[in-house]
Every structure is written in C-alpha cells, then in structure tokens.
Amino acid sequence: MILAFVSGATTMGFFVAALFFLRFWRNTEEELFLLFALAFGLLGFGHILLSIGGVPAEERSWLYLIRLVAYLLILFAIVRKNLSAR
C-alpha cells in the first residue's frame, strides 16, 4: 500500500516537472527545456510501466532502457546547450 502511494507520488512528480519544463519552453522557445520535458515525461512513463506493469523483477531490464534514454536525453540537452553558447 505504501509502495503504491510512493510510486504514484514519484510518477506525479516526474509529470509535474515535465509540465514545468514545457511551460518554460513555451515562454522562451529554448530547446533545452523541451528536451528536459521529454526526458521527464519518459521517466514518468517508465515509472508507470514499472508500477502497474506487473513485470517480474528478473524481466524488468528492458524497462530500464527507458530511463537510460531519458538520462541520455538530459545529457544531450546539456551538452548541446553548452556547445551552442560558444
């Protein structure tokens, strides 16, 4: 029961962060914010799949690829922003 609550709160946090970054992107049209919004949306989506997917622990490894893609997207956005500032 507690685990489901914490999992839901974490998922909601990812989507709230994605919405904040979408708002920042809409105001500034900065690509960094759009990529961050996509990354946090992916993290939330992956968390939903982990929570309600009912996938046994040994077979969850493909679900972590979603996290990897999200983290790589964040790194790509940061590197791209720093390189474009030069």
Side-chain angles (χ1 to χ4, degrees):
M1 183 75 161
I2 288 286
L3 184 61
F5 176 76
V6 171
S7 181
T10 304
T11 303
M12 182 191 70
F14 283 137
F15 284 119
V16 167
L19 288 176
F20 271 109
F21 282 118
L22 268 180
R23 189 177 75 181
F24 295 146
W25 172 72
R26 220 174 78 191
N27 290 340
T28 64
E29 294 187 5
E30 186 78 35
E31 184 183 78
L32 176 80
F33 295 131
L34 179 63
L35 292 175
F36 271 37
L38 287 173
F40 278 98
L42 273 175
L43 287 171
F45 179 69
H47 212 77
I48 286 175
L49 290 177
L50 276 174
S51 299
I52 62 173
V55 180
E58 297 85 26
E59 299 171 3
R60 287 184 179 176
S61 59
W62 65 272
L63 287 173
Y64 292 107
L65 290 176
I66 295 171
R67 286 186 188 175
L68 178 64
V69 169
Y71 293 134
L72 288 176
L73 197 59
I74 290 171
L75 285 175
F76 173 76
I78 292 170
V79 168
R80 187 175 166 101
K81 176 67 180 173
N82 285 331
L83 289 178
S84 70
R86 291 181 183 180

